[in-house]
Amino acid sequence: MWRFSSPARDSGEPRPPDWEDRDLALENAPWNPLHGLDEHEQRPVHRAWERGGWESGGWEPVDRYRSGWRRFIPQRARNRSRMWWASRWIAAVLGLFILLVAWLAITAPLNKSLQPIVPPQITLLAADGTPIARNGAVVDEPVHVADLPAHVIEPFLAIEDRRFYSHWGVDPRGVARAVFMGVGGGSTITQQLAKFTFLTPEQTLTRKAREALIALWLEAWLTKDEILERYLSNAYFGDNMYGLRAASMHYFYRRPENLRPEQAAMLAGLLQAPSRLAPTQNPELAARRYGLVKNALVAAGYVTQAEADAMRVPVTDVRKTDELPTGTYFADWALPGARELSEIGYSRQTITTTLDSQLQNVARRAVERAPLGAAQVALVAMRPNGEVVAMIGGKDYGESPFNRATQARRQPGSTFKLFVYLAALRNGWSPDDRISNREFTAGSYRPSNHNDRYSDSLTLREAFAQSSNVAAVRLLQEVGSDAVIETARELGVTSPLPEGDPSMALGTSTMTLLELTSAYAGLAANAFPVEPRAFPAEQAGWFDWAWNGQDSLRSGDLGAMEAMLRDAINTGTGRAATLSIANFGKTGTTQDNRDALFVGYAGEGENRLVVGVWIGNDDNSPLNGISGGGLPARIWADFMRGALGASAAPPRPTPTPDPSGPVEPLDVPGPEDIPLGDGRRIVIRNGEAILVETIDGVEVEVGVNSTGDVRIDVDQEAARQRAIESAREQREAARERLLEERARYEEYLDQQAEIVEGPQ
């Protein structure tokens, strides 16, 4: 056993000898048998201090690479030189690159990269797979770089690919700038051509690798000008316009060869996000992007700063065409969103929407049964999460494709009172609190109640059910317009709302029916704001649910508001919308009966539907005796009866629709509902032919069954409501006649007085 003496023994503090110096000396000695051993160097093991000396425990391996990268590799390979390691790494990288190129060459569509580009096509499907619209792109003749002025090409190069004529399809500098500085997307014009022409819009590393390989392939087979021509001739510019020629004619009614510098710069800016930046849809965003293009032109040296400052935002010149975009109101509304989902790729897309073909037919029949006369109609039905299941934008799409559900901005009338009363509830008011219902006799603004009916006071519940105008205005003054606007904004209303304007309580601010219905959907779901959507919402996970930014009402406020909405139907102005199940809604009628609305919801769970109905004239002229509690409420109830029954029934055993089959527009009468004109039609129901005729606003059904018996059915509720309306109309007509006779009598008295007094 090894024993060593130690100088520390005299001091009484034992310490081991300096083994490090001794090991180093032994290792460096050429005669030492341990010399040169890198894999298993050895050193003595010190066990303990015994009887005046250190006791050795033998020898143990010594690892000289206790730190650094070599400690992660086997010991037999730790002493290799750097050159050896470098050669192995280079060989491995080259091998992986060869395998990657071989795999991409097999899977990437290189054989199609030089073929002519086929214009894209989008097919929209109903929720059950029925094709409802098929829309192709607007594509014009290709452009030729040699025919384009320099000021037309330069904006595209400046904002999209400044080194287009110097790189080989992939720009390492652009990629590095995008990675390390967050500026630009790193894709060249050649890569973008490969992306939107031959690939899907998926955001994966595989797709990016294929994009780079196709870009190199295109650079090898095509000239730079040919690549640029293909790019400009096929890029998407928004508004369903593909290619520079189609876009320049659409936005500015000019051929691309005649574009002015500012017009070309505007078009170049659209390529980043065509649907969002289109000047016809978002002029402010387009102008902001236009400013970035001008800065890029200055940075690239194409124009001076003074020349860029002199370039004003160009004015669009969009000419209307007689072509019908899709043939259905819903498809016209959904198509821009579908384009945005698929604008990156040029392949044909089949996209499933939220439209329910059964409910759309129910909505169409409910509208066709209504005696509208010359008035227009709009209907929106959605789930509480915003998924639109039915949409009617007018009586006849063929005559007018203008969508009155999504494009027409009209006054919501008393349906806006929802936000006034909800703001009051959130600020401590109770449905049983009282508010003055007396007539306004002072001030510049003096709203009046319908039929000039007033009282000393009403509870909030009664005032809401009777739709008292003076009570709503006083309540807004008590709560404050800021609180009402805040409530409307939280429920998703984005239209302008004037602060301090008492008439806002009566719904004088304009908005679309879709926006108004979405706000009621937020109340139905107790999760707001609700965004109306044409495509199914993705299933949200727990994290998304916790951070979705939606708000909700306290249970007490929600219960009180729903109780008032229920009273508005049971005992108030919306009695024509009564159903056999719990339903909630509010009527709305604007000044001089220019707009008539009913918005509400019914059903439970997955079957709950939120529906808004509007009736009015396109020229904003007064309606003939139509109010929100009349025809709109009846259309709403008619739709709800058919829709809730259809949604609760099990699906019919119909064959699976073929997405590539013929389009079913759903906005035209079906064979089971044949209009005969003059408010009459034939309905095929359970194998029985029924003649339906509308007499003075009341439907009368005459049917003959298989035994020859004649059956006559009358809508009793509609008849009762029509009788009430008729009596009210007669009273109003009598009152107007009395006022006219009084005015004539006073005029007669004035004339007699002038005769008696004589000339002055």
Side-chain angles (χ1 to χ4, degrees), residues 390-414:
M391 177 181 289
I392 301 293
K395 290 195 302 184
D396 192 334
Y397 182 92
E399 292 183 358
S400 173
F402 179 74
N403 195 332
R404 294 153 188 86
T406 63
Q407 295 175 285
R409 304 187 63 85
R410 304 295 289 257
Q411 293 182 354
S414 294

Side-chain angles (χ1 to χ4, degrees), residues 148 215 390 416 424 440 473 504 517 536 545 688:
L148 297 176
F416 189 87
F440 280 92
V473 172
M504 180 177 61
T517 307
W545 174 83
E688 179 184 4

Side-chain angles (χ1 to χ4, degrees), residues 295-504:
N295 294 338
L297 284 169
V298 175
Y302 292 130
V303 298
T304 64
Q305 187 63 52
E307 291 173 335
D309 294 339
M311 296 170 59
R312 303 302 179 189
V313 178
V315 179
T316 59
D317 182 10
V318 180
R319 307 293 178 94
K320 294 184 178 180
T321 62
D322 295 332
E323 297 179 0
L324 301 183
T326 63
T328 59
Y329 293 107
F330 175 86
D332 286 354
W333 173 67
L335 188 62
R339 288 288 180 199
E340 190 171 352
L341 292 174
S342 60
E343 66 185 19
I344 299 177
Y346 226 79
S347 58
R348 296 190 177 191
Q349 302 286 332
T350 300
I351 303 177
T352 300
T353 67
T354 58
L355 188 75
D356 189 305
S357 57
Q358 272 188 282
L359 299 185
Q360 179 68 18
N361 284 325
V362 172
R364 176 179 53 79
R365 289 194 291 268
V367 168
E368 289 175 352
R369 283 195 287 263
L372 295 168
Q376 283 289 350
V377 64
L379 182 149
V380 173
M382 64 175 63
R383 302 292 181 192
N385 65 353
E387 294 184 351
V388 177
V389 295
M391 177 181 289
I392 301 293
K395 290 195 302 184
D396 192 334
Y397 182 92
E399 292 183 358
S400 173
F402 179 74
N403 195 332
R404 294 153 188 86
T406 63
Q407 295 175 285
R409 304 187 63 85
R410 304 295 289 257
Q411 293 182 354
S414 294
T415 58
F416 189 87
K417 292 176 183 176
L418 168 77
F419 309 112
V420 179
Y421 283 78
L422 184 57
L425 294 175
R426 298 174 70 186
N427 282 272
W429 288 67
S430 166
D432 295 324
D433 290 338
R434 304 192 74 84
I435 191 77
S436 173
N437 190 40
R438 291 190 295 270
E439 183 179 5
F440 280 92
T441 58
S444 59
Y445 179 63
R446 301 183 184 182
S448 59
N449 284 342
H450 181 64
N451 290 336
D452 294 329
R453 296 177 180 176
Y454 304 97
S455 60
D456 288 338
S457 66
L458 293 171
T459 64
L460 295 192
R461 189 190 311 274
E462 294 169 339
F464 188 81
Q466 298 176 19
S467 199
S468 170
N469 290 337
V470 297
V473 172
R474 287 193 170 95
L475 187 60
L476 181 141
Q477 293 173 340
E478 292 284 342
V479 177
S481 63
D482 291 342
V484 175
I485 293 175
E486 180 184 2
T487 300
R489 293 284 184 245
E490 290 182 5
L491 284 170
V493 175
T494 59
S495 296
L497 299 174
E499 296 182 6
D501 184 359
S503 68
M504 180 177 61

Side-chain angles (χ1 to χ4, degrees), residues 197-373:
T197 308
F198 313 113
L199 300 173
T200 61
E202 59 178 345
Q203 299 293 329
T204 62
L205 292 177
T206 300
R207 204 269 298 158
K208 293 294 290 184
R210 291 178 176 177
E211 174 187 305
L213 183 63
I214 295 176
L216 295 174
W217 184 271
L218 291 173
E219 291 278 349
W221 286 93
L222 301 175
T223 66
K224 286 289 187 180
D225 286 351
E226 289 174 336
I227 293 174
L228 186 59
E229 288 174 354
R230 286 192 174 206
Y231 176 74
L232 295 177
S233 299
N234 297 281
Y236 182 51
F237 287 85
D239 279 3
N240 200 27
M241 298 294 153
Y242 285 79
L244 180 60
R245 188 173 301 280
S248 61
M249 291 296 296
H250 172 68
Y251 290 113
F252 302 111
Y253 203 65
R254 279 175 173 260
R255 296 184 178 89
E257 294 82 5
N258 300 328
L259 285 172
R260 295 197 300 268
E262 61 271 18
Q263 294 171 334
M266 172 68 79
L267 293 176
L270 304 183
L271 296 178
Q272 183 189 55
S275 297
R276 186 169 58 91
L277 296 175
T280 54
Q281 306 297 328
N282 297 297
E284 294 182 359
L285 291 179
R288 197 179 308 164
R289 177 68 176 171
Y290 171 72
L292 296 179
V293 176
K294 291 199 301 181
N295 294 338
L297 284 169
V298 175
Y302 292 130
V303 298
T304 64
Q305 187 63 52
E307 291 173 335
D309 294 339
M311 296 170 59
R312 303 302 179 189
V313 178
V315 179
T316 59
D317 182 10
V318 180
R319 307 293 178 94
K320 294 184 178 180
T321 62
D322 295 332
E323 297 179 0
L324 301 183
T326 63
T328 59
Y329 293 107
F330 175 86
D332 286 354
W333 173 67
L335 188 62
R339 288 288 180 199
E340 190 171 352
L341 292 174
S342 60
E343 66 185 19
I344 299 177
Y346 226 79
S347 58
R348 296 190 177 191
Q349 302 286 332
T350 300
I351 303 177
T352 300
T353 67
T354 58
L355 188 75
D356 189 305
S357 57
Q358 272 188 282
L359 299 185
Q360 179 68 18
N361 284 325
V362 172
R364 176 179 53 79
R365 289 194 291 268
V367 168
E368 289 175 352
R369 283 195 287 263
L372 295 168

Side-chain angles (χ1 to χ4, degrees), residues 128-157:
D128 63 354
T130 301
I132 59 174
R134 187 169 288 116
N135 188 259
V138 178
V139 182
D140 211 325
E141 294 295 325
V143 297
H144 300 286
V145 171
D147 299 335
L148 297 176
H151 65 257
V152 173
I153 299 174
E154 289 167 353
F156 293 93
L157 299 179

